[in-house]
Amino acid sequence: MTEAGFNVHATAIVVGKTGLLFSGPSGWGKSMLAFTCMTEARRLGLFTALVADDQVLLSAEAGAVIATCPPSITGLIELRGTGIVHQDHIPKATMHYAVLPGSATGENRIPPEGEMVSLAADFSLPALRLLTGVCSPLAILMAKVPDIGR
């Protein structure tokens, strides 16, 4: 059964069979981190595709969080300071993890194990924390969750 979709400000991609939803405040770098992860995945010979950038429609199917893209922005991703570029894309995908901003200082620099994030209403995903500006974000995510990309 599909529930009504929620529009969230995020970027959704797939690496292998793993759905990653980059969520955070405007200007955090969601699109650039997602794009960099897709570029790394291609270099590793992994399947990767954009689902949606900036606006992600979330729905539930059989207990899974499903991401789709509004038709007007299909296959487009904004790379701040560069412009809007076309990417290989798929119409929808199951999301497995939410990638959120990390903290480099203070007591929050090591996020809690098993952290979950509520995205909208009843939509929750396991959280992975990531700093902007890291040179290999996919490698960092894969170090935390080795099944990404499989």
Side-chain angles (χ1 to χ4, degrees):
M1 176 178 169
T2 302
E3 296 180 16
F6 289 93
N7 190 335
V8 296
H9 181 70
T11 300
I13 67 170
V14 172
V15 175
K17 295 179 181 178
T18 306
L20 300 171
L21 183 74
F22 292 77
S23 181
S26 184
W28 172 56
K30 298 176 287 295
S31 300
M32 191 62 78
L33 283 169
F35 176 80
T36 303
C37 284
M38 289 189 297
T39 300
E40 284 183 77
R42 284 186 201 102
R43 288 183 182 146
L44 293 171
L46 299 172
F47 170 79
T48 187
L50 176 69
V51 180
D53 179 50
D54 192 49
Q55 298 179 52
V56 180
L57 304 175
L58 297 180
S59 60
E61 288 182 20
V65 175
I66 305 298
T68 59
C69 184
S72 62
I73 58 172
T74 298
L76 302 175
I77 187 168
E78 179 187 357
L79 302 178
R80 190 168 293 219
T82 300
I84 297 173
V85 298
H86 292 269
Q87 287 293 288
D88 292 338
H89 64 278
I90 56 175
K92 73 178 191 174
T94 300
M95 294 291 105
H96 298 94
Y97 298 97
V99 181
L100 306 171
S103 175
T105 60
E107 63 186 54
N108 295 330
R109 72 175 198 213
I110 299 177
E113 286 295 320
E115 181 182 14
M116 296 290 289
V117 62
S118 178
L119 303 162
D122 296 324
F123 299 105
S124 295
L125 289 172
L128 299 173
R129 297 284 177 168
L130 190 61
L131 296 174
T132 56
V134 295
C135 59
S136 296
L138 183 61
I140 293 168
L141 295 175
M142 292 173 86
K144 182 71 176 170
V145 183
D147 68 342
I148 290 177
R150 297 176 200 258

